[in-house]
Amino acid sequence: MPGENLSRDEARERAALLSVDGYDVSLDVRSAVGEGGGEPRTFRSVTTIRFRCSEPGASSFADLIAPSVTALSLNGRDLDPSEVFDGSRIVLEDLAADNELVVDAQCAYSRTGEGLHRFVDPEDGEVYLYTQYEPADSRRVFANFEQPDLKAPFRFEVRAPEGWTVWSNGAGERTDGVWRFAETKPISTYITCVVAGPYHYVTDSYERVLPDGTRLEIPLGAMCRKGLAPHFDAEDVFLVTKQGLDFFHEHFDYPYPFGKYDQAFVPEYNLGAMENPGLVTFREEFIFRGRVTRASYEGRANVVLHEMAHMWFGDLVTMEWWDDLWLKESFADFMGTFANVGATRFEDAWITFANRRKAWAYRADQLPSTHPITADIRDLQDAKLNFDGITYAKGASVLKQLVAYVGQDAFLEGARRYFKRHAYGNTRLGDLLAVLEETSGRDMAAWAQSWLQTAGVNSLTPQVLLDADGRIDELAVVQEAPESHPRLRPHRVAVGLYRRTADGALERYARAEADVDGPRTLVAELAGAQAPELVLVNDDDLTYCKIRFDETSLATLREHLGALTDPLARALCWSALWNMTRDALLPAREFTDLVLRFAGRESDIGVLQMLHAWANSALVHYVAPQWRETGGRLLAEGALRELRAAEPGGEPQLAWARFFASVASDEADLELLRGLLAGTEKIDGLDVDQELRWAFLEPLAAHGAADERVLGEELARDDTASGKRHQVRCLAARPSAAVKAQAWAQVVESDALSNALVEATIAGFAQSSQRELIAPYAEKYFAAIERVWTQRSIQIGMDVVRGLYPSLQDSEGTLEATDAWLAAYEDAAPALRRLVLEARDDLARALRAQACDAAAAGREVLSR
């Protein structure tokens, strides 16, 4: 429906006309328990909006996506819903200076994670509700002005089934059968929140004496489904929460402004988390049902701190429009790692940032849809797609560099002034730059132009000339940019020189910082140094760039990567080698060989797990097709070798077990997995818990070694919401034409599945070992996607368009089919075309990498 996709121009026009004084929202969700049989479809939503109009007599509109409106009144005058409501907008004519709009509507429960999501736990039949709105789905729950710069205080009240507890942004209590919540501070619509149901709830508190001597006390709460309560380590969540509150109070000098701090871990959640003030929501997968590595706990802590940083960056001070989404997401992404390192047990979190988060940014910044960090967001569909690696990870990388550029003290003082100057308001890029100029004394305009307002990633390569004595005569850093985005940027970098010591360790013996600007920059400080075996540009990860190597350095890494003792330097080298693989500069089989030879020596568990993911991706997408079977066998043999050699019960053993399962394919591998499941095979120290059982079952199902009966028996063993998702994925993975047809129909032709089961079905559908089996669906994909995008919610549309693109049909023919669709659907929604263009670019990159790998086929690849 056209009215659903609010444009930037419409939002600006409405913001110039209206200002909002407050909302009263009353929801009745007693229908959620579904009395009388069948699935309840709607709940009652009554909203009163008090607002002013700067031009009395003018017209505007309110937002509401609902099946029906029962009654409407504007300033006491009843309106006919059939005349003013079109399903997504309410026309408001002849506005007064002061206005009151009352909307009584029947809104729909969601099964897609957008709006008010309703979930029935298969384990015990309990019903759970939660809301998720960003960027613009609060209008699915109550009538409002759905744009971030029309902030207002909110008062919520909720009628819920007996025995339920209800939470919202403010503190609440139940009186006369109604949950009533304290009025919020002025906030945007997209961060309001309601969570309701028989959740398991744990409490704690945080106290702090402020600089003025007053005592700040913040009630803490954490909740999850009752079925997950035995696995809920709330004490660790509270520990990180308190450490984060200490850290941000010390650095921001602005007390947490939203009263209580609840954290809800909810089912079938589309995102990682959402920063609703006073009631942060997380995907419940952050509650670990089985054994996980330290990297998973570090990742959860990072998300907890990321969302906490939003209480200031995003909630207290909010971007005016989604163009400046980075003003909250880049800062929160940076602050999450900054606080993780500075306040928690995860002191090496910058390694994870360099290895994992920046990989996300590098990929996004090389897509045809790449954009400046400050993006051009024309409408809400654009906004939905811009929660990407550029807005988050590239923006955070650039902020990390900004801290080095202006100094940490100036940066944090700028943040403090920014909060105090714009509290409960909305800002643009210029507002932040102004305070940073004040605190640093630097001209921020040129920096912003280079780093925030242009797209693309630069490559930095060392050039080394030696003198007759074998010492450095000249060391230069060469900067290059892609033709599509030719801007060369100023970089503050560290250049590290490495040599092997007598005991074989590869260690740094010299380091210099330099300002790289332009195509070639001399690093004079390193002249005269002993000849290096490895030159690492961007040592210590100070800037955002792709690292390249000279031939000597690359040769050193081929033979001695495992001897590199510094974990951050090692992570940077792995990341650089992966970028070279993706860029068709390093054959994918050579990258997999490096993983086989050196990953077993990796000490950082997060880096090890990332290497496993990259090696798997190289096998599926980047190796020459004729070598794929050989590569898979080599990876499975290597993974099993490392699994058996790993310390019993250690984290590497668990990581290698999961990787082995992901690449297992021949009968001996599958028989071992069956034996581990049955208990007839043992690997000392390996506990095959329920989550690991499902990880072993998926390859068995995909290779026809676990049928519907086996998967049904496993579900009976694990009859939970998590178990159901795993079973659905494994069922869709089976190598049968009938299975694929059913999975396709369930996702593409029906809307019966919830968002989580759509995601699970798509994950199982596309198996690398089944390329011929799913080949017929390439044509069906292009015939269906425009209809799916038009008829389904944007979240499901994104899942289908991304997840079912025929990337496993890796041929020029698929590129041609993609181009034909793009030519035929030039007028399709820009967001849909963007997703298709991105998928096409990934496939074209894969074909270039396969060609590079095929060219290396004659070279002997050692697999030691």
Side-chain angles (χ1 to χ4, degrees):
M1 195 170 296
E4 290 188 22
N5 192 20
L6 179 73
S7 73
R8 177 176 53 203
D9 291 342
E10 289 176 313
R12 286 176 175 170
E13 181 179 341
R14 186 164 62 176
L17 187 67
L18 306 182
S19 55
V20 188
D21 295 319
Y23 287 84
D24 290 317
V25 180
S26 177
L27 305 178
D28 188 341
V29 298
R30 288 175 291 182
S31 61
V33 295
E35 294 180 4
E39 290 287 311
R41 295 184 57 83
T42 62
F43 59 93
R44 189 182 183 194
S45 169
V46 181
T47 306
T48 301
I49 314 175
R50 297 173 299 280
F51 64 100
R52 284 166 284 141
C53 177
S54 61
E55 299 177 17
S59 298
S60 189
F61 62 92
D63 300 296
L64 175 68
I65 298 176
S68 65
V69 171
T70 306
L72 273 169
S73 70
L74 177 63
N75 300 328
R77 183 177 77 254
D78 290 339
L79 305 178
D80 185 345
S82 66
E83 294 180 358
V84 300
F85 177 60
D86 65 0
S88 61
R89 293 185 178 186
I90 302 168
V91 176
L92 306 175
E93 296 181 332
D94 193 22
L95 292 170
D98 294 286
N99 301 273
E100 183 176 274
L101 174 68
V102 181
V103 181
D104 188 343
Q106 288 293 314
C107 294
Y109 291 108
S110 169
R111 298 198 70 214
T112 66
E114 301 154 293
L116 180 61
H117 188 80
R118 178 180 179 272
F119 173 78
V120 181
D121 192 334
E123 186 173 2
D124 55 18
E126 296 281 16
V127 177
Y128 295 89
L129 304 178
Y130 64 86
T131 59
Q132 171 55 36
Y133 297 149
E134 191 173 41
D137 285 319
S138 65
R139 56 193 170 147
R140 298 182 186 274
V141 178
F142 60 93
N144 58 53
F145 300 114
E146 186 79 282
Q147 57 190 82
D149 58 343
L150 287 178
K151 285 185 163 183
F154 287 81
R155 286 197 299 255
F156 283 92
E157 67 173 38
V158 181
R159 290 166 175 80
E162 287 294 326
W164 278 25
T165 306
V166 183
W167 295 264
S168 188
N169 303 88
E173 61 180 0
R174 187 174 186 267
T175 56
D176 302 324
V178 181
W179 290 86
R180 293 181 173 88
F181 297 92
E183 184 175 70
T184 70
K185 299 289 189 180
I187 58 176
S188 301
T189 54
Y190 76 91
I191 51 176
T192 60
C193 186
V194 171
V195 173
Y199 285 88
H200 170 73
Y201 184 59
V202 185
T203 62
D204 203 334
S205 65
Y206 170 84
E207 294 185 6
R208 182 180 183 85
V209 177
L210 299 176
D212 63 3
T214 60
R215 178 172 292 277
L216 174 69
E217 182 172 353
I218 303 172
L220 305 179
M223 70 197 80
C224 66
R225 288 185 296 112
K226 290 191 294 185
L228 282 176
H231 309 287
F232 192 20
D233 54 338
E235 64 284 352
D236 191 53
V237 173
F238 286 138
L239 172 63
V240 173
T241 301
K242 293 175 183 179
Q243 291 170 331
L245 287 168
D246 273 341
F247 185 86
F248 290 128
H249 279 102
E250 289 168 6
H251 287 84
F252 288 170
D253 190 31
Y254 195 108
Y256 171 72
F258 297 112
K260 68 181 181 68
Y261 200 84
D262 282 324
Q263 297 174 95
F265 294 81
V266 298
E268 299 191 324
Y269 202 57
N270 289 322
L271 311 178
M274 183 64 207
E275 68 267 18
N276 316 302
L279 182 52
V280 182
T281 43
F282 299 82
R283 65 186 302 120
E284 69 178 17
E285 286 78 2
F286 284 121
I287 298 173
F288 308 121
R289 298 197 317 149
R291 183 163 180 246
V292 296
T293 68
R294 176 183 171 90
S296 294
Y297 289 99
E298 179 189 320
R300 182 176 69 181
N302 191 277
V303 175
V304 167
L305 297 169
H306 174 118
E307 303 309 321
M308 187 180 293
H310 273 312
M311 300 299 120
W312 291 267
F313 284 106
D315 294 357
L316 178 67
V317 185
T318 311
M319 70 276 156
E320 185 175 293
W321 177 248
W322 301 101
D323 290 349
D324 283 313
L325 176 63
W326 81 280
L327 279 173
K328 72 184 188 75
E329 293 302 347
S330 299
F331 272 87
D333 216 48
F334 168 77
M335 285 292 173
T337 304
F338 185 51
N340 227 2
V341 171
T344 77
R345 63 188 183 272
F346 304 110
E347 297 175 351
D348 293 329
W350 283 124
I351 295 176
T352 305
F353 181 85
N355 191 246
R356 184 179 294 269
R357 298 299 285 181
K358 291 180 84 168
W360 182 28
Y362 293 141
R363 175 189 174 269
D365 213 7
Q366 295 173 87
L367 290 169
S369 57
T370 186
H371 55 85
I373 294 172
T374 54
D376 179 25
I377 304 298
R378 298 161 296 185
D379 54 37
L380 290 176
Q381 287 194 4
D382 277 359
K384 182 76 171 180
L385 267 62
N386 261 47
F387 290 83
D388 60 12
I390 295 171
T391 302
Y392 284 71
K394 180 181 179 180
S397 303
V398 168
L399 289 177
K400 187 170 185 273
Q401 185 192 54
L402 176 63
V403 172
Y405 177 61
V406 302
Q408 181 173 303
D409 291 343
F411 175 79
L412 290 172
E413 176 58 27
R416 290 188 281 267
R417 295 187 189 184
Y418 181 72
F419 300 144
K420 292 170 183 175
R421 193 168 299 174
H422 301 289
Y424 305 110
N426 297 87
T427 57
R428 295 182 178 182
L429 167 64
D431 298 309
L432 178 66
L433 297 183
V435 294
L436 288 173
E437 285 190 353
E438 291 174 14
T439 58
S440 70
R442 291 181 178 268
D443 177 9
M444 298 303 301
W447 177 86
Q449 177 61 35
S450 292
W451 284 105
L452 301 180
Q453 296 169 326
T454 56
V457 56
N458 301 136
S459 299
L460 301 183
T461 307
Q463 284 185 347
V464 182
L465 297 176
L466 301 179
D467 60 21
D469 297 324
R471 292 185 173 274
I472 293 177
D473 183 54
E474 181 180 281
L475 191 154
V477 176
V478 175
Q479 180 178 191
E480 297 175 290
E483 291 183 8
S484 56
H485 300 283
R487 179 67 174 257
L488 299 180
R489 298 182 177 89
H491 298 264
R492 181 69 178 176
V493 301
V495 179
L497 306 183
Y498 292 77
R499 289 183 63 86
R500 281 173 294 154
T501 61
D503 61 1
L506 187 58
E507 295 186 347
R508 188 170 69 189
Y509 64 92
R511 176 188 184 276
E513 290 194 15
D515 291 313
V516 172
D517 201 357
R520 192 172 188 271
T521 302
L522 290 175
V523 186
E525 188 176 336
L526 294 175
Q530 190 177 11
E533 293 181 79
L534 168 67
V535 180
L536 182 56
V537 176
N538 198 30
D539 207 354
D540 298 323
D541 197 35
L542 299 185
T543 193
Y544 172 80
C545 70
K546 287 197 292 188
I547 298 171
R548 301 300 197 207
F549 300 108
D550 64 318
E551 284 301 319
T552 299
S553 298
L554 190 56
T556 298
L557 291 174
R558 285 185 173 119
E559 296 301 323
H560 305 292
L561 175 55
L564 193 55
T565 56
D566 182 76
L568 177 56
R570 201 168 55 244
L572 291 170
C573 288
W574 278 118
S575 178
L577 292 166
W578 177 240
N579 278 323
M580 291 174 65
T581 304
R582 295 186 73 248
D583 291 346
L585 298 175
L586 182 74
R589 69 186 65 194
E590 187 169 339
F591 182 83
T592 61
D593 180 62
L594 289 167
V595 171
L596 288 170
R597 290 194 286 129
F598 298 125
R601 300 172 64 178
E602 180 53 57
S603 61
D604 187 288
I605 191 65
V607 173
L608 176 61
Q609 290 175 285
M610 198 75 228
L611 292 177
H612 290 161
W614 287 343
N616 213 326
S617 186
L619 179 66
V620 172
H621 297 294
Y622 298 150
V623 302
Q626 58 270 27
W627 193 77
R628 195 173 285 137
E629 183 177 350
T630 299
R633 187 181 70 253
L634 291 172
L635 283 175
E637 291 172 355
L640 182 57
R641 184 170 58 249
E642 294 291 349
L643 169 58
R644 295 191 183 280
E647 179 184 351
E651 291 188 340
Q653 183 188 57
L654 178 61
W656 283 108
R658 287 185 169 275
F659 181 53
F660 170 68
S662 73
V663 294
S665 61
D666 68 20
E667 183 54 37
D669 296 340
L670 300 177
E671 188 60 34
L672 174 59
L673 293 178
R674 276 194 294 259
L676 289 169
L677 287 169
T680 57
E681 293 277 0
K682 298 285 186 183
I683 294 177
D684 187 23
L686 184 66
D687 177 20
V688 185
D689 60 29
Q690 188 59 63
E691 288 295 295
L692 197 55
R693 289 183 66 84
W694 286 114
F696 289 176
L697 276 165
E698 183 173 356
L700 290 171
H703 290 91
D707 59 16
E708 186 173 4
R709 178 189 60 80
V710 171
L711 298 174
E713 290 173 353
E714 195 67 28
L715 180 62
R717 177 191 180 105
D718 182 25
D719 192 11
T720 65
S722 300
K724 182 62 177 177
R725 289 194 299 272
H726 287 309
Q727 187 220 21
V728 166
R729 185 181 69 253
C730 291
L731 286 171
R734 291 171 296 157
S736 157
V739 164
K740 300 305 177 185
Q742 181 184 38
W744 180 271
Q746 288 174 331
V747 170
V748 176
E749 307 301 337
S750 168
D751 63 356
L753 294 182
S754 70
N755 57 318
L757 297 186
V758 166
E759 181 182 331
T761 304
I762 289 173
F765 179 87
Q767 298 288 325
S768 178
S769 60
Q770 300 168 4
R771 292 169 192 257
E772 292 184 10
L773 181 62
I774 61 176
Y777 292 93
E779 183 177 351
K780 294 180 180 181
Y781 170 88
F782 292 112
I785 55 174
E786 201 276 335
R787 170 176 55 83
V788 169
W789 189 265
T790 303
Q791 296 178 357
R792 308 285 285 278
S793 76
I794 189 170
Q795 181 63 49
I796 298 300
M798 289 166 59
D799 290 343
V800 169
V801 175
R802 282 175 171 156
L804 292 179
Y805 180 82
S807 60
L808 295 178
Q809 309 308 311
D810 43 4
S811 69
E812 291 293 334
T814 305
L815 289 183
E816 292 168 2
T818 308
D819 292 338
W821 185 91
L822 290 166
Y825 288 90
E826 290 184 352
D827 295 329
L832 171 59
R833 287 179 57 83
R834 169 178 168 168
L835 291 173
V836 175
L837 281 164
E838 289 177 349
R840 184 202 185 281
D841 190 74
D842 280 338
L843 178 56
R845 177 180 292 274
L847 293 176
R848 292 193 297 271
Q850 289 177 19
C852 169
D853 193 63
R859 243 180 6 238
E860 180 182 1
V861 178
L862 299 177
S863 300
R864 290 168 280 175

